[in-house]
Amino acid sequence: MLEYLIQLPFDSLGQNLLGFLDLNDIIQFENAATSHESQQLLRETLPYSPPNMVECFEFNRELIDWCNKRRYRFQLATISVETLFEVKYQRYIFDNIELHLKSNVSSQHIEPLKNNYINRRVTSVKIRGNQDPAVIEVLFSLLSCVRSLIIQTPTISQWMEHIKQIGPCLHELSINCWTSQFKMLTTITEYCPNLEKLSLRFEYGISGSNILQNLASNCPHIHSLDIDKLDYNISAACDADLTAFAEKCPQLEELSLTCPQLTDQSVIALAQHCSRLKKLKLNRCKLTAASLIALSELSLIHI
């Protein structure tokens, strides 16, 4: 059948050719494609063009049961790790899976991730609460394509080695926890040299003298930064740090800071060095009209 199909003009095949085949059947067709033409045809039609396309979808048990009877391609599907077993993966095509972990995830929950078809499509992971270290160690050993990691936990120290393991792949990192140390933050950014988006929220804030400079040195591709409760001893230290950060990150597009020591000098430096800045949110700082004048030439969406 395959050899007959590849003799037909591509236009006559249609975008949904064999879109209703099970995944096992698709794999058999791919294995049967020995010629370059056959492989190219299959790449263009199978399994990348099923009948329906859904950009984003959040799975729950009711919707899983409904979708298991149909065939869809999902650009992004949000799936709780507890329901991984219930999804009939042979009936879907996933471009990206966002995996959510709540408290008390067991080794049984992550068993489906041993399937390469599934784990290679997990590009985002969101983790809440304390987890069994042994289970999490296995989890991260199975994930090699994660680009986005969100962690909400009382303490970040237990996650350092896992962040290190996938750090070079990460482009987005969000951490929300109770305590932090400046040294710990520096180490995290050293693990993730390709970060483009970073969000840090700590209950007791972050204090130091060269916080932003260190971040810029470790993550030169940052274009979106959100830090809550950033604290310096004096305004001069804050201005010097943010000015150096702006000089090192001219590609910056979004910045959100909560910092009472920030002054007009820092904002003027941002306007001078970060011409791509689109969103700027500064909390708990005292600024004057000089800041607005400096920013007036930028096409800011939010100030």
Side-chain angles (χ1 to χ4, degrees):
M1 180 179 179
L2 177 65
E3 294 304 320
Y4 169 73
L5 287 173
I6 64 175
Q7 296 177 30
L8 297 176
F10 180 75
D11 291 343
S12 70
L13 299 177
Q15 290 297 311
N16 297 325
L17 170 69
L18 304 181
F20 287 91
L21 279 179
D22 286 335
L23 180 61
N24 290 335
D25 296 324
I26 292 172
I27 293 174
Q28 290 182 15
F29 272 96
E30 290 180 335
N31 292 336
T34 56
S35 66
H36 173 75
E37 291 78 14
S38 299
Q39 294 172 359
Q40 183 64 29
L41 175 64
L42 288 169
R43 278 195 294 268
E44 293 173 346
T45 59
L46 295 174
Y48 309 106
S49 300
N52 302 91
M53 166 78 76
V54 180
E55 292 186 0
C56 185
F57 203 82
E58 183 170 355
F59 279 69
N60 57 39
R61 284 182 167 84
E62 181 181 355
L63 294 175
I64 288 173
D65 182 62
W66 186 84
C67 288
N68 278 344
K69 302 173 183 178
R70 295 159 176 83
R71 299 187 184 280
Y72 288 94
R73 171 181 174 178
F74 295 91
Q75 287 187 343
L76 175 62
T78 299
I79 305 176
S80 172
V81 69
E82 293 88 353
T83 60
L84 279 174
F85 264 115
E86 301 178 32
V87 179
K88 295 182 179 179
Y89 294 94
Q90 69 272 21
R91 301 192 67 86
Y92 306 91
I93 294 170
F94 294 106
D95 289 346
N96 300 280
I97 295 175
E98 182 180 72
L99 189 64
H100 283 205
L101 283 76
K102 298 181 181 179
S103 298
N104 303 320
V105 171
S106 69
S107 56
Q108 183 180 7
H109 288 143
I110 66 172
E111 188 70 22
L113 292 173
K114 294 181 180 179
N115 183 331
N116 286 338
Y117 175 78
I118 304 172
N119 63 47
R120 290 177 181 175
R121 285 159 177 79
V122 177
T123 57
S124 178
V125 180
K126 184 176 182 179
I127 304 173
R128 291 182 179 179
N130 291 318
Q131 301 287 345
D132 183 341
V135 174
I136 296 302
E137 183 175 356
V138 175
L139 171 71
F140 276 85
S141 70
L142 296 172
L143 302 178
S144 59
C145 301
V146 176
R147 294 171 56 88
S148 175
L149 178 62
I150 301 172
I151 299 177
Q152 297 177 357
T153 180
T155 175
I156 194 62
S157 58
Q158 62 179 312
W159 299 97
M160 296 294 284
E161 285 302 312
H162 302 306
I163 295 175
K164 180 180 181 180
Q165 187 173 352
I166 64 171
C169 299
L170 288 178
H171 287 245
E172 298 183 16
L173 176 62
S174 177
I175 297 174
N176 189 337
C177 72
W178 294 350
T179 59
S180 176
Q181 297 176 348
F182 175 50
K183 176 60 178 177
M184 189 177 296
L185 172 60
T186 302
T187 303
I188 290 174
T189 56
E190 288 175 350
Y191 292 158
C192 310
N194 297 309
L195 277 184
E196 298 174 359
K197 186 175 183 179
L198 177 62
S199 176
L200 301 169
R201 296 184 176 274
F202 300 112
E203 183 71 19
Y204 302 107
I206 309 169
S207 60
S209 58
N210 299 312
I211 302 170
L212 298 175
Q213 293 183 60
N214 279 277
L215 192 155
S217 298
N218 295 332
C219 306
H221 308 293
I222 282 287
H223 64 71
S224 177
L225 178 62
D226 180 358
I227 301 182
D228 189 32
K229 297 181 180 177
L230 191 60
D231 193 26
Y232 297 84
N233 292 329
I234 57 175
S235 292
C238 173
D239 289 333
D241 196 26
L242 185 52
T243 298
F245 173 79
E247 292 173 350
K248 293 182 178 181
C249 296
Q251 75 282 359
L252 191 69
E253 297 179 2
E254 300 179 7
L255 178 64
S256 177
L257 293 178
T258 299
C259 180
Q261 293 84 20
L262 188 147
T263 72
D264 288 327
Q265 181 179 332
S266 302
V267 178
I268 293 172
L270 282 171
Q272 291 175 340
H273 298 288
C274 302
S275 59
R276 299 181 184 180
L277 196 63
K278 298 177 181 178
K279 293 184 179 181
L280 178 62
K281 185 176 181 181
L282 304 174
N283 301 314
R284 295 177 55 195
C285 56
K286 297 179 181 180
L287 302 176
T288 70
S291 294
L292 294 178
I293 294 172
L295 295 170
S296 60
E297 295 183 3
L298 299 177
S299 301
L300 291 173
I301 300 174
H302 181 71
I303 300 180

